[in-house]
Each structure stands twice: as structure tokens, then as C-alpha cells.
Amino acid sequence: MGAISSLLVLSWRNIWRNKRRTAITIASIAFAVFFATILGSIQKGAWDNTVDNVVKFFHGYLQVHKEGYSEDRTINKAFPLTEELLQAGSMDGIDGTAPRLESFALASYKQYTKGALVIGTDPTNEDKMTDLKNRLVEGQYFDKSRDEAMIGEGLAKYLNMGVGDTLVLIGQGYHGANAAGKYPIVGLLKFGSPELNKRMVYLPLSTAQYLYSADGLVTSLALIPSSREVAERLEPGLKSKLSEIGYEVEGWQDMIPELVQVRELDTIGAIVITMILYAIIAFGIFGTILMMTAERRYEFGVLVSIGMRRWKLALMVWMEIIFLALIGVLIGFLLSYPVVLYLHHYPITFTGEAAAAFEKFGTEPIMPASLSLSVFVRQVLVVFLVTAVLACYPIININRLKVVEAMRS
Amino acid sequence: MSVVIETKALEKIYSESKFPVHALRGVDLQVHKGEFTAIVGPSGSGKTTLLNIIGGLDRPTKGRISVGGVDIAHLSDNELIEFRQKNIGFVFQSYNLIPVLTAKENVEFIMLLQNRSKEERIRRTESLLNRVGLGDRMDNRPGEMSGGQQQRVAVARALASSPQFILADEPTANLDSKTAGSLLDMMLEMNREEGTTFVFSTHDSRVIRRARRVITLVDGLIDSDEIREQ
Ligand SMILES: Nc1ncnc2c1ncn2[C@@H]1O[C@H](COP(=O)(O)OP(=O)(O)OP(=O)(O)O)[C@@H](O)[C@H]1O
Ligand SMILES: [Mg+2]
């Protein structure tokens, strides 16, 4: 036994002097960690899922536009795919690019007409990026070599048309040119968001370029990152690099600011709940610490009398508290991990009104738990911060201890 | 014989309460190496106060106290702790020991604080526990030992630090008279055979009978100081 390791042994044995109190304290820490971890995992998982859904299925994580497009989304800001842009798409962490030409048009069939959002895109890349094929509910996926269209299920219903019917698109093309065309419907798509369902029209890129008299032009170039984390890492560099040559880069947070805001609010809510939980637990731990210090005054007095330096004594008590926290955190994790794992693989699924709320954001009505280490790490940090602060009490107490008074029983 | 403890006109006034208490009113005392001294006197006469000041646990209001030639009243708190650890062995009335450590570990603990080598710690611990008659109790915790046995471990611990003297405030107060007697016999033996200096307070007449020097305090002053030849 060295001097410090003997303190460790002492601390460890000391916490088992009052087994019942120790068990209660550990249990309360474990409960807080258990609860907070599950809450945090579901919360993070649900939002990751929502963001992934919304962003991945529709916007892509990174989009390049002509400068000013984000303020004024018009086809007149279309641009050619230059070498420089395509180079950006071949950098590390970017798996590919998906050029799109987007604009508005009136969609009509027989006597029905509705405003539509037309997306001209490369069928293969689009599927790679947004899993578009998975949204097909009827008919078949469009082919880039044919002038054909896929439309949202809701739009088809509104226009009272189906696969095999011919859709008419009328609108304004590049720099005021006339835009009109007829396209057979080959497939119907289903979007979680009713809004998208009623508005989306997909054409092969070249077909759309012809329709809008924008030969060789696109309104956006989506970069396909290997993951969201990669996208977030590359974003600042791309932004500054491409802005020099007249382009703007939008990250996913720029594209859906409302969602980002709601997520922040929700996250703050969860943090507040967790903080309240930890505050309650902290009072419990403090109670234990108070009793532990009060009932051992005489003992502390003996130890300082025989020549134990106060900092050693304080270190011993501090380690006792850290031991309690450590065991509590460990048990909390061991209990919560299976639950989190289960909820990751079998997410909570919503039905009815709640499901509708999810669908409004264009996402599936499920809340899968996140397995992200950051949730666990945050709990560890919070517990240690709380206990470290609480542990100041006995440290101060020991430093102020007057030996003679402590030992006068 | 060299002087281990020396006080000059030692006074202690407790002034925290409404009426200040003049617990020591000018104590002049010398304790030499190898003495076996009992401090006696009625309750409230100032025995504990005197021992606390001698042991560096409390500071005098006036007067001088030197231990081994060091003016301990002027040491800082940390210096005092260090000084006590190296120079003074303590035996208190009860609950001397760390309850979660065995007899062996309790004795070893003080030497750990002194950063002594492992071999020395083990050797001293075993010989001291054998010396106080607890060779077969080394691995018991205080809760598994009688009061007398616990006090013996406390004496062994006090000796383990190789102090200049051992200070004991009523070490037998919580023991029955037979156990108290045998603890005192053991202390006397240490004193005779190894020259260990003891200063202790007591109320017990049978304990007083064994002492070789008896200092009687009355109202914070030395009333008599009697050295007996044995
Ligand atoms: N912290 C204190 N504050 C005020 N008065 C005190 C304090 N400690 C001791 N006294 C008083 O000082 C006097 C001497 O007390 P002390 O404890 O030294 O006596 P004692 O001889 O050890 O008595 P006993 O035999 O009962 O242990 C008593 O009158 C006591 O009440
Ligand atoms: Mg007393």
C-alpha cells in the first residue's frame, strides 16, 4: 500500500460502512442516469431521424447554387456545370453530385389544374441521394432517356389522373421563354409530407432543361456526402471556396431553418427536464454527504490529531463521493444500454394525430433511440460536475475542522 | 535526563462563551525523557486543556510551551500537523482507530503517513502488535475487538510513529478496572524496557498508584508534583 493507494482503499471501504445509505445513494444516481440517458437517446435519435429524413429525402445535406438563389429561388439563377464545380464534387468525403433544375409550373390534366414544383434530375443520382425509388407506390421509376414524369400521389389524386395518363406542364422558362410540354405519367410517388405529395413533379434532367429552355443549366448541384457529420465538417470550407467564384453553398441547417429552431427548442426542453432530475438527485447526494461528514467529525478529529494532513483527508472523502457517482453512473448505463439498444432497433412508433405531425415534416412517425456516445458522455460529465461541486462541502468542512472541538463529544 | 516537554506560566482562557473560563492559570512544568507521568485532579481542573496544549492540538492564551525544544505554539496549522505526526503519539479515551482498517492496518497507517518503507512498516507493525499482546488479532477490525484490545492497538499505533512521548487523555476511562490495570501494566513495561515517555491523565486511583510521577491540578494550577521511587 502506497500513501495514495491506501487512501483509495480507505475510501472504498468507507462507502460500505453504511450499506443501506450507500445503496440508496447509488440507486438514485443510477436512476437519474438511466432516465436521462434514455430520454437523451430518444430525443437525439428522434431528431437525427427527422433531420435525416427531411434533409436526405428532399434537400440533400449540401447544395450549391448561384449567388443569391437562396433569397430569390428563380430559374433565372440557373448556371452551367463547370469544371470547377464538378471538382468540388470529387473531393474526399463527397460520394457524388446530383444536379437539379427546379422551377414552378402549372400542372394540368383535363379540366383540373394545380401549381406544381418541377424537379429535373438525374434518376440514378437522385435515387442514390434521396432513395426516390423507395417512394414509388405505383408504376415504375423514370428513365433518363425518355420524356416522362413521376408525380406525387396527392397531385395525381387532385388532378384525377393515374399512371399512363398524360400530364401537361405550362410555365415560364429561362429568362422569360415559354415553357410547355406533355409528359406521360410512369410512376406515382408518396411523400410523408402532404404538402410535397400535392406538389411534386419529377422529370429527367434533360427533359426539364428542354422544357425550361435551359439547355445545360441547373439551379442546384447537390453534393452527396458520406454522412451528415462529413457534410457539417466540409461545409465551412466549401462555403468560402465557392463564394469566391460566385456560388453559394447551403448546408442543411440553412435550408430548413424552421426545423433547426424547433429542434433547438425541443433540445432545451429536454435539457431542462434532465437538469430538474439531476437537481433532485443532487439534493439526495448532498444529504448523504452531510450525514457522512457530520457523523464522522470525531474520526476526522482523530486523524488530523495523529498527523494526517487535511488535504489527504479531504481527498479521501472526495474519492468516496466519486466512487458513489462512478458506481451509480455505471449501473445507470448498464441498465439503460439494453433499453436504448432495444429502442434503437424497435423504435417507438406513433399513430393517429401524432403520426400526422411527423408526416407534416415529411418524416416517418418513429422515434428511434440514438446510440451516439455523446449522450452517454454528457451524462457522465453532468454527474461528475454535480458531485464534484457537492464534494466541495466536505472539503471545506475538513479544512475548517477544529480538532479539539471535533473531539469533544 | 533531557527535557521533552517544558511549559512556562501557561495560561488558557476559553472566551467563546458568555463567561470566559480561565482553565489554566500559570502552569510551569517539565517532563523528562523516560518519565511515566500521571496528570490527576478533579473534573474541570484543566487536565484535558493542558494535554491538548502539550500535544499541539490547541494553543495557549499566554505563556510558553516547547516540545523537544520547539516552540510549538508558533507553528502554522500544517506545521503542527506534521510536528504531531513525527513527534507525538496519541491515545484518546475511545474510538481511536479507523473502523474500516484492521489492527495491523491501523498501526501501519501512521507509518504510511510518515512515508516509511514497506519492509519497515511490516516489521514494526508485527513486533508492536506482538508486544502489546495482540499477535493473534492482527487482522481484526476494531468492531471485532474489546475496548481494552482497541486501546492496546491505539498504544501500538502511537508507538509505531517513534514519537518523543505518548500523550493519553484518560486512556482507561472506558475500560473496566481489570482491563485498565493490564493496559497500564503494558504501558509501564514499555516505559521500563524501552524508556518510552508517557504523559496521561486519569481519575482511576488504581492507575494513579502505578504512576511514577503524579501531578495534581486544581483549578488550573499545579497543586502538587510527586515523584515516587519504585
Ligand atoms: N471549549 C471550551 N470552552 C469553554 N470552556 C471550556 C472549554 N473546554 C473546557 N472548558 C472549561 O475549562 C475547564 C477545564 O476543562 P478540562 O476539560 O480541561 O478539565 P478536565 O480536568 O479535563 O476535566 P475532566 O476530568 O472532566 O475531563 C472547565 O471548567 C471546562 O468547563
Ligand atoms: Mg478531561
Side-chain angles (χ1 to χ4, degrees), chain A residues 405 408, chain B residues 14-17 21-23 41-50 169-170 203:
Chain A
E405 272 172 35
R408 201 189 308 133
Chain B
Y14 293 107
S15 44
E16 300 101 68
S17 55
V21 180
H22 215 145
S43 188
S45 57
K47 303 183 292 294
T48 297
T49 304
L50 180 60
D169 192 7
E170 303 200 36
H203 279 292

Side-chain angles (χ1 to χ4, degrees), chain B residues 64-75:
Chain B
R64 274 197 22 213
I65 163 75
S66 83
V67 173
V70 177
D71 183 353
I72 62 170
H74 292 103
L75 297 179

Side-chain angles (χ1 to χ4, degrees), chain A residues 332-354:
Chain A
F333 278 170
L334 289 181
L335 292 178
S336 65
Y337 191 70
V339 179
V340 171
L341 202 63
Y342 179 86
L343 290 175
H344 178 74
H345 292 296
Y346 305 94
I348 299 169
T349 307
F350 290 93
T351 52
E353 256 176 61

Side-chain angles (χ1 to χ4, degrees), chain A residues 142-155:
Chain A
F142 65 157
D143 188 309
K144 82 174 186 190
S145 62
R146 287 195 290 264
D147 286 342
E148 55 192 25
M150 296 192 300
I151 62 174
E153 208 182 26
L155 182 61

Side-chain angles (χ1 to χ4, degrees), chain B residues 90-118:
Chain B
F90 288 92
V91 177
F92 301 104
Q93 203 170 317
S94 53
Y95 303 111
N96 272 286
L97 306 177
I98 304 171
V100 296
L101 297 184
T102 63
K104 207 158 79 181
E105 290 165 336
N106 263 291
V107 175
E108 199 187 342
F109 184 75
I110 185 86
M111 292 185 281
L112 262 167
L113 294 181
Q114 294 177 324
N115 293 320
R116 296 209 196 181
S117 76
K118 189 172 178 137

Side-chain angles (χ1 to χ4, degrees), chain A residues 76-300:
Chain A
N76 293 335
K77 291 234 152 66
F79 56 94
L81 287 174
T82 60
E83 233 357 86
E84 288 159 305
L85 282 178
L86 293 174
Q87 247 171 27
S90 61
M91 64 193 288
D92 255 4
I94 301 291
D95 293 346
T97 57
R100 282 169 170 173
L101 181 68
E102 293 181 25
S103 192
F104 297 96
L106 282 175
S108 61
Y109 179 66
K110 292 184 182 158
Q111 73 269 40
Y112 303 103
T113 302
K114 183 151 179 69
L117 177 59
V118 178
I119 294 189
T121 183
D122 177 68
T124 317
N125 279 357
E126 186 69 35
D127 182 50
K128 205 159 104 189
M129 183 168 76
T130 66
D131 281 338
L132 191 61
K133 222 178 245 174
N134 268 341
R135 298 194 171 271
L136 197 66
V137 285
E138 207 186 317
Q140 58 190 6
Y141 197 63
F142 65 157
D143 188 309
K144 82 174 186 190
S145 62
R146 287 195 290 264
D147 286 342
E148 55 192 25
M150 296 192 300
I151 62 174
E153 208 182 26
L155 182 61
K157 207 164 155 195
Y158 186 90
L159 297 177
N160 204 10
M161 67 191 301
V163 171
D165 294 333
T166 300
L167 177 77
V168 175
L169 293 176
I170 304 164
Q172 203 171 51
Y174 187 57
H175 286 308
N178 277 328
K182 294 198 315 191
Y183 308 95
I185 302 298
V186 292
L188 299 186
L189 304 167
K190 181 176 168 60
F191 294 90
S193 151
E195 190 55 26
L196 296 182
N197 235 4
K198 271 186 278 187
R199 285 163 50 102
M200 299 307 295
V201 174
Y202 279 84
L203 298 175
L205 180 60
S206 56
T207 306
Q209 285 171 335
Y210 184 76
L211 168 65
Y212 286 110
S213 313
D215 202 22
L217 302 180
V218 299
T219 51
S220 76
L221 179 69
L223 305 179
I224 308 171
S226 46
S227 72
R228 176 149 51 92
E229 286 72 27
V230 169
E232 284 168 3
R233 184 158 50 76
L234 294 179
E235 194 182 312
L238 277 169
K239 271 184 170 155
S240 68
K241 197 166 111 195
L242 292 181
S243 75
E244 283 168 19
I245 51 171
Y247 297 97
E248 62 179 29
V249 175
E250 281 192 295
W252 67 271
Q253 289 166 322
D254 303 321
M255 293 183 260
I256 40 167
E258 318 83 18
L259 196 63
V260 173
Q261 262 176 19
V262 177
R263 183 175 78 149
E264 270 166 15
L265 274 180
D266 192 61
T267 306
I268 290 169
I271 289 175
V272 169
I273 292 176
T274 316
M275 284 303 149
I276 292 173
L277 181 72
Y278 277 121
I280 295 169
I281 301 301
F283 275 107
I285 301 175
F286 193 59
T288 299
I289 292 176
L290 274 182
M291 286 189 276
M292 219 163 79
T293 351
E295 72 194 12
R296 280 161 69 191
R297 269 173 68 77
Y298 184 89
E299 185 180 324
F300 292 165

